Amino acid sequence: YKEKFEITMYGLPGWLDYELIDFEFLEYQHTHFFSSSFIDFERIEVRNFAKKFQHRYKVDPTKQAYSGYDIGLYFISALQKYGTGFPGCIKEHKVNLLSTEMDFVFSPVDGFRNHHVSIYRMKDYQLWKVQ
């Protein structure tokens, strides 16, 4: 059906961790993925972080390293800027982060939740963020 119809497949980010995954198939199907974060290795800030991390720890940063840096930077800078009342200003707080974007929504039942979702696709056997 690929020749007759334009097909786009949406998959779970965990698919990329499978040992026996056919990346050619994912490429052929114009596969898109979604996640709460996306590391764009083309960004200079990401490359600089990786270099500093590698120099200090002698290993490549993991997804958790990027996420931990982002979360720490976001909340510590909010605390510094707004003090302990920062939850009331969280919607206005914008920080240039490496892998995670923050878009908080408040619910009286759940409190604050980050509702941001990154969508990225496989093209030329690489992952690219969809704008």
Side-chain angles (χ1 to χ4, degrees):
Y1 293 104
K2 181 73 173 156
E3 290 75 28
K4 287 175 136 181
F5 302 102
E6 187 172 322
I7 296 174
T8 300
M9 181 168 63
Y10 286 83
L12 300 171
W15 289 6
L16 298 169
D17 297 329
Y18 292 160
E19 288 182 26
L20 299 172
I21 191 79
D22 185 350
F23 288 102
E24 188 173 343
F25 176 76
L26 297 178
E27 173 85 19
Y28 187 69
Q29 297 300 329
H30 304 287
T31 305
H32 287 62
F33 299 94
F34 56 91
S35 179
S36 59
S37 63
F38 175 74
I39 303 167
D40 182 357
F41 294 101
E42 297 294 315
R43 290 181 53 213
I44 191 70
E45 301 93 344
V46 172
R47 285 194 238 150
N48 288 341
F49 175 82
K51 284 180 189 176
K52 290 176 184 175
F53 192 95
Q54 290 162 343
H55 180 74
R56 181 169 188 164
Y57 299 107
K58 310 297 186 232
V59 295
D60 290 332
T62 62
K63 291 178 187 177
Q64 290 83 5
Y66 288 99
S67 181
Y69 174 85
D70 284 349
I71 291 167
L73 178 63
Y74 185 83
F75 286 105
I76 290 171
S77 65
L79 187 59
Q80 179 185 26
K81 186 172 183 178
Y82 302 109
T84 56
F86 79 85
C89 305
I90 207 77
K91 288 295 282 181
E92 292 82 34
H93 189 58
K94 304 295 181 213
V95 180
N96 186 20
L97 303 173
L98 299 176
S99 68
T100 309
E101 293 183 45
M102 303 292 187
D103 180 23
F104 284 101
V105 175
F106 180 77
S107 161
V109 175
D110 299 326
F112 286 98
R113 283 188 171 200
N114 185 9
H115 278 230
H116 179 79
V117 175
S118 292
I119 298 175
Y120 49 98
R121 65 178 284 210
M122 181 162 284
K123 183 178 180 189
D124 301 326
Y125 300 98
Q126 293 184 350
L127 296 174
W128 299 93
K129 189 168 184 177
V130 175
Q131 299 300 331

